[in-house]
Amino acid sequence: MTATSDLGTPQFASPDLLRSVFRRHAAGVAVITARGDAGPVGFTATSLASVSAEPPMLSFGISPGASSWPAIATTDHIGVHILGDHQQELAATFAKSGADRFGAPTAWREGPEGVPVLDDVLAWLVCRIVARVPAGDHRIVLAEVALGDPTGPGRPLLYHQGRFNGLRD
């Protein structure tokens, strides 16, 4: 192993450092949905991760200050939607604070367990929440997969450098 002198200027840990590093990390884009007391709720998530194959389980992060948190904090089931590269507008709508996320042109239907299921996505899952774990200024939600559909056509939407992008060959 050889040492290199071109390591840049290291920075001490900070929220800005973490954000800057993760802007360079391309992440798949998902929308998490739930049934809330006043109607459906949802948000764009890039923190989605597979946790376990047996049982099939995933995780995502959410801020307790998010408008969707009250529903996520109390519901038993959520929807997880993997967005395609044709859904940049949908991703932006669900990422924007105060947006009418389920109004036109968003196409959706009530799915199993009353979970809002978005149309025209690459894949979707309905999951049962098994834990909400405090993690700094967020909560990590662990959810067990109940059912889903992985057969939507297209290519995935990615988030990189603060923008939504499609894959390039």
Side-chain angles (χ1 to χ4, degrees), residues 30-42:
V31 168
I32 309 298
T33 61
R35 182 176 52 194
D37 290 340
V41 300

Side-chain angles (χ1 to χ4, degrees), residues 33-36 75-79 109-117 124-129 144-147:
T33 61
R35 182 176 52 194
T75 193
D76 291 330
H77 291 85
I78 48 102
R109 64 194 179 285
E110 186 174 311
E113 303 293 341
V115 170
V117 175
W124 62 267
L125 299 166
V126 170
C127 304
R128 181 180 61 83
I129 294 178
E144 187 173 344
V145 175
L147 61 111

